[in-house]
Amino acid sequence: MKNVAIIMGGYSSEYKISLTSGSVVYENLNKEKYNVYPVHIFKEKWVCVKNNIEFPIDKSDFSTSINGKKIAFDVVFNAIHGTPGEDGLMQAYLELLNIPQTSCDYYQAALTFNKRDLLSVLKPYGIKTATSHYLNLGDEINVDEILKTVGLPCFVKPNKSGSSFGISKVKTREEFMPAIEVAYKEDNEIIIESFLDGTEVSVGVINFNGETRVLPITEIVSENDFFDYEAKYLGKSQEITPARISEELKLKIEQVAKKAYEVLKMKGFSRSEFIIVNDEPHMLEMNTVPGLTNGSILPQQAIEAGIPLPILFENAIEQALQR
């Protein structure tokens, strides 16, 4: 039996969601096929947690000792949203140790975690995006010039953050600088995007049995002004799977999502967000460690596609072991 470490937690605002995702993976993996070990990754400690007892992780080889017995891991299931699991740090570390893991490689993780760089790479392939402006902490901010470029309303977002932390919808000039301050609390880089007035959809793409597979598309209908943290995690939205769109539009979105996945040489899970304007999908971002809780979008899509969660998670492990 293979020893599987499920890494969860992380260093970002998303650590609680990650702990829930990791717990769902743990509950659904077949314990008769795998020896499964939950591993909590925090800045102050890396520990394997068994029966509510913490066993320190040896960072030199990513192993642990339980009751005097050394446990080495054959594969890592990555359930860390945000840093260090979604930005390439854990992927690079595990690659150096020659331990396979379920998410994409370190370069793809770093690229997709940076919205600005991701969209810049995909644009030459014909993938449409919102009009945008970028700021780094310390840059001079010419509010009038920025708003002339992106217009109002617009969105102010941390460039490297997930779960909608630090995002503001700006409707007036007066709201702009407070939104900048909120975003800088999450990241030292900011992306400011024009408002796209259209239907928001979320598209899961996975490697399933060695082939790229686009999952049923989810339509996002937020009770709030946009798909913010409350809408995403506190039930303030409707997530309709499959989306209420035409077959023609469905095929177009699937083609764009698959193209992005394959152009980037992705592996494992991805979930991309699009706004449909005039029947054209515009990409907002790609998540490479999407939420895996029972209420999360990608698990909903997998179930709609006839893939139960135990099969979804087992496939991720087996694909990682075959790389």
Side-chain angles (χ1 to χ4, degrees):
M1 286 171 64
K2 299 288 186 185
N3 290 337
V4 178
I6 305 172
I7 56 173
M8 61 188 92
Y11 305 163
S12 76
S13 306
E14 303 171 78
Y15 76 93
K16 288 182 181 177
I17 302 153
S18 171
L19 291 173
T20 305
S21 288
S23 296
V24 170
V25 175
Y26 179 82
E27 289 162 11
N28 280 279
L29 281 179
N30 184 350
K31 311 302 187 298
E32 294 181 4
K33 185 169 185 177
Y34 306 109
N35 298 315
V36 186
Y37 299 87
V39 174
H40 293 188
I41 304 288
F42 297 114
K43 281 183 179 176
E44 66 276 11
K45 62 182 178 182
W46 289 20
V47 291
C48 178
V49 183
K50 292 293 277 185
N51 301 319
N52 294 318
I53 302 170
E54 295 183 350
F55 300 92
I57 292 289
D58 182 344
K59 293 182 183 178
S60 68
D61 61 359
F62 198 68
S63 67
T64 191
S65 292
I66 297 177
N67 300 327
K69 181 184 177 185
K70 179 169 177 171
I71 306 293
F73 300 112
D74 299 297
V75 63
V76 171
F77 194 109
N78 183 7
I80 296 177
H81 315 311
T83 188
E86 201 165 4
D87 58 359
L89 294 178
M90 289 300 298
Q91 289 89 336
Y93 164 74
L94 292 168
E95 183 164 323
L96 285 170
L97 294 175
N98 202 29
I99 301 173
Q101 51 86 31
T102 56
S103 56
C104 61
D105 293 336
Y106 66 91
Y107 170 73
Q108 284 78 2
L111 176 66
T112 52
F113 197 65
N114 187 309
K115 299 180 183 76
R116 175 183 67 192
D117 294 353
L118 167 70
L119 299 176
S120 298
V121 166
L122 291 177
K123 267 184 186 175
Y125 291 91
I127 294 174
K128 294 178 171 60
T129 64
T131 301
S132 56
H133 183 91
Y134 308 113
L135 289 173
N136 294 328
L137 187 63
D139 284 355
E140 183 181 338
I141 301 173
N142 188 323
V143 178
D144 292 327
E145 281 298 312
I146 294 170
L147 294 182
K148 187 177 175 183
T149 300
V150 301
L152 285 172
C154 66
F155 283 99
V156 177
K157 308 175 180 179
N159 189 39
K160 306 184 298 291
S161 175
S163 294
S164 302
F165 286 109
I167 298 180
S168 302
K169 184 177 181 181
V170 173
K171 299 173 184 174
T172 67
R173 190 184 189 283
E174 292 69 34
E175 293 174 350
F176 186 77
M177 287 308 297
I180 294 285
E181 290 174 20
V182 168
Y184 273 142
K185 286 178 182 174
E186 291 292 329
D187 190 16
N188 60 6
E189 298 175 2
I190 289 177
I191 180 169
I192 303 156
E193 290 181 333
S194 61
F195 171 64
L196 295 174
D197 190 6
T199 302
E200 181 164 358
V201 294
S202 188
V203 190
V205 184
I206 61 174
N207 184 304
F208 193 75
N209 293 333
E211 295 183 0
T212 303
R213 181 162 176 183
V214 182
L215 298 174
I217 297 167
T218 298
E219 179 183 349
I220 309 296
V221 183
S222 177
E223 291 177 22
N224 293 354
D225 223 9
F226 63 97
F227 196 43
D228 60 5
Y229 182 87
E230 279 192 337
K232 196 173 283 187
Y233 296 109
L234 303 179
K236 294 290 185 75
S237 69
Q238 275 185 284
E239 295 160 5
I240 302 164
T241 310
R244 300 168 298 182
I245 55 177
S246 68
E247 184 66 22
E248 183 182 1
L249 183 54
K250 171 179 167 287
L251 291 172
K252 184 184 284 189
I253 296 167
E254 287 176 346
Q255 286 171 355
V256 172
K258 185 177 182 184
K259 185 178 192 178
Y261 189 95
E262 293 184 337
V263 159
L264 296 173
K265 297 182 170 61
M266 285 292 299
K267 296 171 183 172
F269 302 115
S270 84
R271 198 195 73 230
S272 298
E273 317 302 328
F274 295 89
I275 301 283
I276 304 162
V277 181
N278 298 324
D279 282 350
E280 290 292 338
H282 292 64
M283 180 179 271
L284 301 178
E285 63 179 348
M286 179 185 286
N287 301 284
T288 58
V289 187
L292 298 173
T293 70
N294 289 315
S296 295
I297 292 172
L298 192 134
Q300 291 178 35
Q301 295 175 340
I303 290 165
E304 178 69 23
I307 305 171
L309 295 191
I311 300 298
L312 180 72
F313 300 148
E314 183 176 313
N315 173 77
I317 289 169
E318 294 303 321
Q319 293 299 312
L321 287 167
Q322 291 169 25
R323 290 177 197 166

